[in-house]
Amino acid sequence: MSGNIKLLSDTLAAAKAEGRSALIAYLPAGFPTVDGGIEAAKAVFDGGADVVEIGLPHSDPVLDGPVIQTADDIALRGGVKIADVMRTVREAHQATGKPVLVMTYWNPIDRYGIERFTAELAEAGGAGCILPDLPVQESATWREHAGKHGLATVFVVAPSSKDARLAEITAAGSGFVYAASLMGVTGTRESVGEQAQDLVRRTKATTGLPVCVGLGVSNAEQAAEVARFADGVIVGSAFVKLLLAADGDLAAGLAGVRSLAGELAEGVRKRS
């Protein structure tokens, strides 16, 4: 069975045709429970997300902030497995018909087996994988299997990436490029926003792929700001924070993430 890279590409192209950025939501699998995580993914789609990234919880999520680390810890203590990640992708996609990716560190895939992981992700209806710590120069085997199974390989670029490195990364990737920055750090809001805009400009100079930005966006105003220069706005911690704050009240948590998705979906259409 082939994965849904085409659905992902078509979804991002449709948003562009509407003159807006896509809204991409991130949620960890298994949080607050496996079933609760599936319902959360459906809720953000229902609220207006175009794409959902399902995180594969990791015991040492070095690139994630404390909010997502807390959620990962809850998921891992709950016994979440890769099979649960695949089930989350399958049920979220089947319920909505929308593109669902997995975001994961490399070690779990390496231990699980590349062919097994890509085959199962495609069978679940997944659109691809975001691999923040897989070096491009070590990615050939992964990309071969992902391509065979119709899955996107999304690499992450950062403001520290030099132009030549950006070109190397974007040439190897597919689906979209994940541009990571740090908007929201106290006292650096304006300068970091400019840094992100510069990163998008430099990345777009190397590729025709959409460039989507993860910046710590948490409200419609910030989403509109990022939407001015990015093809997609990626939001994760703000959704996870609402589920954590619900403190076991799943209905309240789902209502919160659905509402926030609606506000953010309006924001990416405003492009302030």
Side-chain angles (χ1 to χ4, degrees):
M1 181 173 177
S2 182
N4 275 311
I5 185 173
K6 185 176 186 301
L7 176 62
L8 174 64
S9 298
D10 288 351
T11 299
L12 294 172
K16 184 175 182 179
E18 293 174 16
R20 65 174 179 88
S21 287
L23 174 60
I24 302 175
Y26 167 91
L27 293 162
F31 170 75
T33 62
V34 174
D35 288 342
I38 291 168
E39 293 307 311
K42 294 177 186 176
V44 293
F45 272 136
D46 189 43
D50 298 289
V51 179
V52 166
E53 304 170 6
I54 298 298
L56 195 163
H58 193 272
S59 57
D60 186 25
V62 293
L63 300 178
D64 294 313
V67 170
I68 292 172
Q69 287 184 27
T70 299
D72 276 6
D73 184 57
I74 290 168
L76 290 167
R77 283 191 280 113
V80 70
K81 301 285 191 293
I82 287 180
D84 299 313
V85 177
M86 299 299 178
R87 180 186 156 212
T88 303
V89 170
R90 178 182 293 105
E91 295 194 19
H93 171 64
Q94 287 181 346
T96 63
K98 293 182 178 180
V100 184
L101 301 103
V102 169
M103 186 168 188
T104 179
Y105 295 94
W106 180 245
N107 183 254
I109 295 177
D110 195 35
R111 287 183 299 171
Y112 197 72
I114 297 172
E115 171 58 23
R116 181 184 179 194
F117 191 94
T118 52
E120 290 184 6
L121 183 55
E123 190 276 329
C129 215
I130 302 165
L131 301 163
D133 66 339
L134 176 63
V136 169
Q137 62 270 24
E138 298 173 17
S139 68
T141 302
W142 162 268
R143 287 187 285 125
E144 176 189 345
H145 287 285
K148 180 174 73 173
H149 289 291
L151 298 169
T153 297
V154 179
F155 287 114
V156 178
V157 298
S160 58
S161 303
K162 305 297 184 187
D163 289 353
R165 178 67 174 158
L166 287 176
E168 182 184 6
I169 293 170
T170 59
S174 55
F176 65 91
V177 182
Y178 189 123
S181 194
L182 298 169
M183 188 177 76
V185 176
T186 304
T188 63
R189 175 68 162 62
E190 183 178 350
S191 62
V192 175
E194 290 173 0
Q195 192 177 47
Q197 188 168 355
D198 180 63
L199 175 60
V200 170
R201 178 190 59 76
R202 292 193 298 118
T203 304
K204 281 180 169 291
T206 71
T207 184
L209 290 172
V211 181
C212 303
V213 177
L215 279 172
V217 170
S218 61
N219 59 48
E221 181 184 2
Q222 291 172 334
E225 180 184 347
V226 176
R228 285 191 292 107
F229 57 84
D231 298 303
V233 179
I234 302 167
V235 181
S237 294
F239 289 119
V240 176
K241 200 175 289 185
L242 288 170
L243 291 169
L244 283 169
D247 196 24
D249 185 343
L250 182 60
L254 295 178
V257 297
R258 188 180 294 109
S259 176
L260 176 60
E263 294 170 19
L264 293 165
E266 285 184 22
V268 298
R269 286 163 171 81
K270 289 178 181 174
R271 305 178 75 154
S272 68

